[in-house]
Amino acid sequence: MGEPKPIKFQELLQLSSLGVNPASITFNTCTIESDSFICIRDKKDEASSPEVLIVDLKNGNNVIRRPIKADSAIMHWTRQVIALKAQSRTLQIFDLEAKQKLKSATMSEDVSFWKWVSETTLGLVTATSIYHWDVFDPAQAEPVKMFPRNENLNSNQIINYRTSADGKWMVVVGISSLGGRVVGAMQLYSKDRGISQAIEGHAAAFGTIRLDGAPEETKLFAFAVRSATGAKLHVVEVDHAETNPVFPKKAVDIFFPPEAVNDFPVALQISQKYGIIYVITKYGFIHLFDLETATCIYMNRISGETIFTACGDRDSTGVVGINRKGQVLFVSADENTIVSYVLEKHGPEVALKLASRAGLPGADNLLQQRFEQLFSSASYLEAAKVAASSPRGFLRTPQTIERFKRVPQQPGQMSLILQYFGLLLDKGTLNQHETLELAQPVLAQNRKQLLQKWLGENKLECSEQLGDMVRPHDMGMALMIYLKANVPHKVVAGFVETGQFDKVLPYCAQVSYTPDFIQLLQHIVRVNPEKGAEFATSLANQEGGSLVDLERVVDIFQSQGMVQQATAFLLDALKDNKPEQGHLQTRLLEMNLLNAPQVADAILGNDMFSHFDKARIATLCEQAGLLQKALELYEDPAAVKRVIINLPGAPNFNPDWLVEYFSRLSVEQSVDCLDAMMKHNIRQNLQSVVQIATKYAELLNPQRLIDLFEKYKTAEGLFYFLTSIVNVTQDPEVVFKYVEAAAKMGQIREVERICRDNSVYNPEKVKNFLKEAKLAEMLPLMVVCDRFNFVHDLVLYLYQNQQFKSIEIYVQQVNPSRTPGVIGGLLDVDCDESIIKNLLSTVNPASIPIDELVQEVETRNRLKLLLPFLEATLAAGNQQQAVFNALAKIYIDSNNNPEKFLKENDQYDTLTVGKYCEKRDPNLAYIAYSKGQNDLELVNITNENAMYKAQARYLLERSDRELWMFVLSENNLHRRSVVDQVISTAVPESTDPTKVSEAVHCFVQADLPNELIELLEKIVLEPSPFSDNQNLQNLLLFTAAKADKARVMDYIHRLEGFSADDIAAVCIEVGLYEEAFEVFKKIDNKEAAVNVLVEHVVSIDRAQAYAEEVDIPQVWSRVAKAQLDGLRVSDSIDSYIKAEDPRNYEEVIEIAVAAGKNEELVKYLRMARKTMREPVIDTALAFCYARLEQLAELEDFLRATNVANIEESGDKAYAEGLFEAAKIFYTSISNWAKLATTLVHLSDYQAAVDCARKANNIKVWKEVHGACVDKKEFRLAQICGLNLIVDAEQLQALVKQYERNGYFDELISLLEQGLGLERAHMGMFTELGIALSKYHPERLMEHLKLFWSRMNLPKLIRACEEANLWPELVFCYYHYDEFDNAALAVMERPENSWEHQQFKEITVKVANLEIYYKAINFYLEQHPSLLTDLLQALTPRIDVNRVVRLFAKSDNLPLIKPFLLNVQSQNKRTVNDAINDLLIEEEDYKTLRDSVENYDNYDAVELASRLEKHDLVFFRQIAANIYRKNKRWEKSINLSKQDKLWKDAIETAAISGKSDVVEDLLRYFVDIGNRECYVGMLYACYDLIRPDLVLELSWRNGLHDFTMPYMINLLCQQTKELATLKADNEARKAKEKEQEKTEDNTPILGNRLMITAGPAGGGGHISPGFGQTNGFAPQTTGFGF
């Protein structure tokens, strides 16, 4: 590997992979403003609509497409805001995320360049000025001019515009071509000074740097230029600050390779993070310069294509650029290598500055050495500077601080540690340890304002320790520190201590901290009750639910007697009205009903709660006098009735509420309550009862309510109740009751109103009641009879009672329109006529319906009675039609000159009078109907009376089309009679052309052709005013053509004024072709005439004869077309030649070619070429030469000037097999592709290959290749094939072609030759592998080993499977990472694919765990000797228990014994059992002993039971050990005794620690006389044996000699213990004496007075619950209060 580079280079994106048209990747169409978005104006082709593509680099290169037509589009740095420019002047800003337009403006001049210069502002450059536009400021509607454009930028292309971070400096960059090189020009502008400076340069940028010892940032301007004399990078200071050191100007050379003559800088970016200048050139070179020293750090080429645009990234670490190829490149400094690189290439000074400035690794050792050197040489301040500026602060450690603190302070100077801290503060933020070290002396000097200042500047790292340190001095500052340090419990305590209770909950929610809110609340309530209530409310109203137990909160408030606060809290906390809060609702209401009933009333009145104990609260409300609320809550009917009877008498009674309350009661309960109210106090409750009854009348049943009122005999109540419902009820009985009540109470006006307005009552019943009641006034009865048409009964009643005055009142005042009925009634009762006439004279005629009056009188045959009245009415000026109708009837009946009246009077109704006359005199009826234009009635009366002549005249005079059609309808039986009269009488008499024309039109419309012909002959052929009327002549001919064709020819000869074209068209339409021909001949229209012969007569011979007769070109052309349509091709061509008409050349060519008339067509085409130059003509002529094999003429024609479509002709010749002609065609236009194909058909394969090489087209190569293969020209086929196989799409077809023809070796040779091609692809390697698998399998493995990485392995795997090539298949599976399939394949065909090492490598990589066990079984069956090796490799991956079970089942555990011993360390029971079984079987007791002692996961009892029956004593010993290990002492000892393993038995007894076990074994040894073991027991179990037992056994069995050592040792030990006890006892007695002496000298009552002494011990304990007057013990808050 080469030396590490100091840069990181990355291709972020390839724009072409997103489908971007390469033509759209240019400076004008592709923009990048930041590393967030790329904006491209793309257009696929000329036919496509343009669109804008937005690539979101920060969102997985997501592409947004918008159909936007714009000249330019640029995206915002970070937001989805796009700026669009159209027609160079119209600007629009859109927010794509919000889908809205932000701003738009139209400039007065073209914008040549624009760019985002800040997060909010666009910079615009025009031909004369530079503008800024804040697109997010609503106040800035238009761009604002910043400064005028300098003249040095004239004729320049503007490529960039930059501003400084503070917006005080701007630079415009442009380029132009001069003397063969690109010259850069810049305009630098100072906003503060308002002046510009022209500079030569290609790229520029602004930046800042903090120099050593400088209190402020130094502002720098860097620009790069390549002039005729060389290339330079300039770095200069702008806006120098007086407190900063002067930055010396820098000017360094920029290296350009000799071959890059035309290269120049295109982009310059300053990395603020690293202090590096990036310069990118047009040819893709990048230069890195140190910003402070302008040292060239590194140079390299990053792109072979032109980089046309670039920008910095958001972190200011590098630069993003786009080249012409569409690559989006990102370059930045490599933090891990750049310092080392600079240190090696440019020395320590630059490297140290770079490392310190950017905090980069690579120079730590060097800085450490410098620090130690400076410190050891007492240059403490310089050492402090080094430590303060160390990269990543690696020298800023507690040890460094301690070293500076130990340095003695110089007289008159600040201590070194404070100077060190000053340097750190200048550099940035202190870490936690530094902050604490600095805060201690500052607080000690009480200069907390300094800490406040540094905290405000974020110079200190906040921590809990710092807050604790500041808290005693300033709680507010400490709280701010706790907040920044995220110490929730201290922050909450701080908020409470400072009284900022409202901030506690938002903070806790913000940091997800939950304090003890109850303790907090208790403290706040004691300190500030109002704030406590607010705090409790906020706790209860959290979105996720209450943070405290509401009952405990209420307890807190009640303990302090804070009912008002508790109420306010509960009202807010219970506002959701939840069922589970019912007990709290009850508690709230109880609290207020007992202390503040008005508050409880208001709470209940707001209907806030519904889950409280309603019975309890209702009782309290009743006791508190809140009857209304009690009534609302009671559900017991008895309680409701008890309260409701007293409610109307209560103060502040609300009747409306009571009415509304009854809506909640059932019907029966409501009636019972009303009854109780009436019974209890009818005077007090009547009004309320009436209101309730009125409100719920429908629900409670009006009849029941009426019965209720009648029950208590309150007529007043009944009347007022019914008054309120009578207008709305639909019950007739209710209305009748009301009428009765009103009549009884003398309310006549109310009776009249009901009778007049109500429509529900039974009129018959009411009428009879009123007649029987005999009221003083008859008006109610009149109203009822008038409304319900009882007029006859009324008249009879009044007439019988001699109430003539009432009759007059009725017809005069009540309803004059009923006068006819009254008159009829009087006539029916045979009233005197004088009375009737007097009555009529008193009524206003205008108010009487005359028609009805006449009808009433006429039906009684007394019509003359009305004559005086009618004449008087007419004389009075009454012009009613009915009056005139009546007079007409009277005149007709009296025969008083009715004709005159009917003709002269216009006021009567003609239809009524005509009907009246029909049976009396039809002529009078005709007069009336004709006067009123009653058409249908007139037609009927004339038909019935055979008045056809009158009807005909009326029809012609009326001239109404609808009437004509009615009369002329075929359903009219009288039609013929009427038509005869029209033709013979009416029409001849008429002189009005309009009316005659209407009649004719109606005859036409009625489809009466014969009758119409008769009519028209009468009008046209006979002398009349209409004889020369062209329309009538046309109509006659039209009608004859359709109805009587034989007359048409005669009419054509007799008539002269008709429209010939129209008549001819009609003749043609109806098949009268000869008549049409005669018409055209008559008007000398030769073309139309020949058209008739051709198209209708269909006689080409007559048409040809007619053409020879007239001999004009137009006729010959028409005849030629007809001959062509009739496929008389030769005659048609002769006729076209005679007409010299080439216009129909396309059809002539098509038909002549189809008919094979090539020679005649040549003549026609030569004639056509004289006047026309059309590609179709020349193409057809050329192809005729080809078909006639006149190749010489064809070559001459092609060499001459022509407009033939030669390629089309060649294609047709090729299609028809005219390959020689096609060769001539293709050769003349150098179409190598098609020429190659043609040469294949001419068997000239070498020439075909040469042409294919020139054409270099896949289709051509394919055709030539196919032909060469078919002809077995494999050398040429290989040439063609090499050009085909590089195209992956053609490869498969080519392989199939070779395989189909059986050319397997040739296919393999072709593919092997193609592997060396530059464009060789995966498909070629794959297909060669497949071919080898089929035809040369012995060569496949070698091919796989060489080229497996370039093959499509899945495809090759299928091929190997089909060919049963198992080693190759395994190889493919392995390299395709299909380890599962590889392992299965090996196990399926092990005989030729298994190899142990390979299989082991495959198996450990499989993913399916089952394959492990298949592999184990495979080895068990095939290779058992290698099984252990395989298991060793699979140990980490397999289930050991399953493996053991597997081998145990097949009884092959001995095969895997090494494996079992290897995995026994896992201490699995299955493994332990298997190993133990094997060891028992092998009688390997040593290994078995180790196994059971070291691995305890086995069934100990079962194993011990097996071992104790073993023949070998060693195994029984192991069983005893197992029993001992499992504390089965008796079994272990018995087993040891059985095998006389006395030592084991003694050890077991000693280990058991049980005296009874030891005693049993001791007695056993005594019993069997084993004195040695007896002595051993005394020593081994010394502490477990009772001395008395030893003495007893010794005495009884004569073992004193053996017991004596034990007894001596026992007595020795007891003596020592007694001496120790004696000494301890004496010391204790001495201490007690000393204590008694001290107590004797102490005063009896002690040193302190009881009144001043605090409680001692538990004697002064205050019982819980009584420590405070309110009964609550004081609670700690947990916050030190």
Side-chain angles (χ1 to χ4, degrees), residues 162-177:
R162 308 291 292 271
T163 65
S164 61
D166 57 5
K168 294 183 177 181
W169 288 85
M170 300 92 168
V171 62
V172 186
V173 183
I175 57 173
S176 62
S177 180

Short mmCIF file of all heavy atoms in Angstrom, two decimals, residues 162-177:
data_model
loop_
_atom_site.label_atom_id
_atom_site.label_comp_id
_atom_site.label_asym_id
_atom_site.label_seq_id
_atom_site.Cartn_x
_atom_site.Cartn_y
_atom_site.Cartn_z
N ARG A 162 -20.60 35.56 -3.90
CA ARG A 162 -20.41 35.15 -2.50
C ARG A 162 -20.54 36.36 -1.59
O ARG A 162 -20.25 37.50 -2.00
CB ARG A 162 -19.02 34.53 -2.30
CG ARG A 162 -18.65 33.40 -3.24
CD ARG A 162 -19.47 32.15 -2.98
NE ARG A 162 -19.16 31.53 -1.72
CZ ARG A 162 -18.20 30.61 -1.57
NH1 ARG A 162 -17.46 30.22 -2.61
NH2 ARG A 162 -17.98 30.06 -0.39
N THR A 163 -20.96 36.09 -0.36
CA THR A 163 -21.00 37.14 0.67
C THR A 163 -20.33 36.61 1.92
O THR A 163 -20.25 35.40 2.15
CB THR A 163 -22.45 37.55 1.01
OG1 THR A 163 -23.11 36.43 1.59
CG2 THR A 163 -23.20 38.01 -0.23
N SER A 164 -19.83 37.54 2.74
CA SER A 164 -19.24 37.13 4.02
C SER A 164 -20.34 36.75 5.00
O SER A 164 -21.52 37.04 4.78
CB SER A 164 -18.39 38.28 4.59
OG SER A 164 -19.20 39.42 4.82
N ALA A 165 -19.95 36.08 6.08
CA ALA A 165 -20.94 35.58 7.04
C ALA A 165 -21.73 36.71 7.67
O ALA A 165 -22.93 36.56 7.96
CB ALA A 165 -20.25 34.76 8.12
N ASP A 166 -21.09 37.88 7.90
CA ASP A 166 -21.81 39.00 8.50
C ASP A 166 -22.50 39.88 7.47
O ASP A 166 -23.13 40.87 7.82
CB ASP A 166 -20.85 39.84 9.34
CG ASP A 166 -19.66 40.36 8.52
OD1 ASP A 166 -19.63 40.13 7.28
OD2 ASP A 166 -18.74 40.95 9.11
N GLY A 167 -22.40 39.53 6.17
CA GLY A 167 -23.08 40.26 5.11
C GLY A 167 -22.47 41.61 4.78
O GLY A 167 -23.09 42.40 4.07
N LYS A 168 -21.25 41.89 5.24
CA LYS A 168 -20.66 43.20 4.99
C LYS A 168 -19.79 43.23 3.75
O LYS A 168 -19.40 44.31 3.29
CB LYS A 168 -19.83 43.63 6.20
CG LYS A 168 -20.68 43.88 7.46
CD LYS A 168 -19.83 44.37 8.62
CE LYS A 168 -20.69 44.68 9.84
NZ LYS A 168 -19.89 45.19 10.97
N TRP A 169 -19.43 42.07 3.22
CA TRP A 169 -18.57 42.01 2.03
C TRP A 169 -19.23 41.10 1.00
O TRP A 169 -19.80 40.07 1.34
CB TRP A 169 -17.18 41.48 2.38
CG TRP A 169 -16.35 42.46 3.16
CD1 TRP A 169 -16.36 42.64 4.49
CD2 TRP A 169 -15.42 43.41 2.63
NE1 TRP A 169 -15.49 43.64 4.86
CE2 TRP A 169 -14.88 44.13 3.72
CE3 TRP A 169 -14.96 43.71 1.35
CZ2 TRP A 169 -13.94 45.13 3.57
CZ3 TRP A 169 -14.02 44.70 1.18
CH2 TRP A 169 -13.51 45.42 2.28
N MET A 170 -19.14 41.52 -0.28
CA MET A 170 -19.69 40.74 -1.38
C MET A 170 -18.67 40.68 -2.50
O MET A 170 -17.86 41.59 -2.67
CB MET A 170 -20.99 41.33 -1.94
CG MET A 170 -22.11 41.45 -0.92
SD MET A 170 -22.11 43.04 -0.09
CE MET A 170 -23.72 42.98 0.71
N VAL A 171 -18.70 39.61 -3.27
CA VAL A 171 -17.82 39.49 -4.42
C VAL A 171 -18.59 38.81 -5.55
O VAL A 171 -19.30 37.84 -5.34
CB VAL A 171 -16.53 38.72 -4.09
CG1 VAL A 171 -16.83 37.30 -3.66
CG2 VAL A 171 -15.57 38.72 -5.27
N VAL A 172 -18.51 39.39 -6.75
CA VAL A 172 -19.10 38.83 -7.95
C VAL A 172 -17.96 38.31 -8.83
O VAL A 172 -16.96 39.02 -9.02
CB VAL A 172 -19.92 39.88 -8.72
CG1 VAL A 172 -20.65 39.23 -9.90
CG2 VAL A 172 -20.92 40.55 -7.81
N VAL A 173 -18.10 37.10 -9.35
CA VAL A 173 -17.05 36.47 -10.13
C VAL A 173 -17.58 36.20 -11.53
O VAL A 173 -18.68 35.64 -11.69
CB VAL A 173 -16.58 35.15 -9.48
CG1 VAL A 173 -15.42 34.56 -10.28
CG2 VAL A 173 -16.17 35.38 -8.04
N GLY A 174 -16.80 36.56 -12.54
CA GLY A 174 -17.17 36.30 -13.92
C GLY A 174 -15.95 35.87 -14.72
O GLY A 174 -14.81 36.06 -14.31
N ILE A 175 -16.22 35.23 -15.85
CA ILE A 175 -15.13 34.79 -16.74
C ILE A 175 -15.46 35.20 -18.15
O ILE A 175 -16.63 35.38 -18.52
CB ILE A 175 -14.90 33.27 -16.66
CG1 ILE A 175 -16.20 32.53 -17.01
CG2 ILE A 175 -14.40 32.85 -15.30
CD1 ILE A 175 -16.02 31.03 -17.12
N SER A 176 -14.40 35.35 -18.96
CA SER A 176 -14.56 35.68 -20.37
C SER A 176 -13.37 35.10 -21.13
O SER A 176 -12.34 34.75 -20.53
CB SER A 176 -14.66 37.19 -20.58
OG SER A 176 -13.46 37.82 -20.14
N SER A 177 -13.51 34.99 -22.44
CA SER A 177 -12.44 34.45 -23.28
C SER A 177 -11.68 35.61 -23.90
O SER A 177 -12.26 36.53 -24.49
CB SER A 177 -13.05 33.55 -24.37
OG SER A 177 -12.04 33.03 -25.19
#
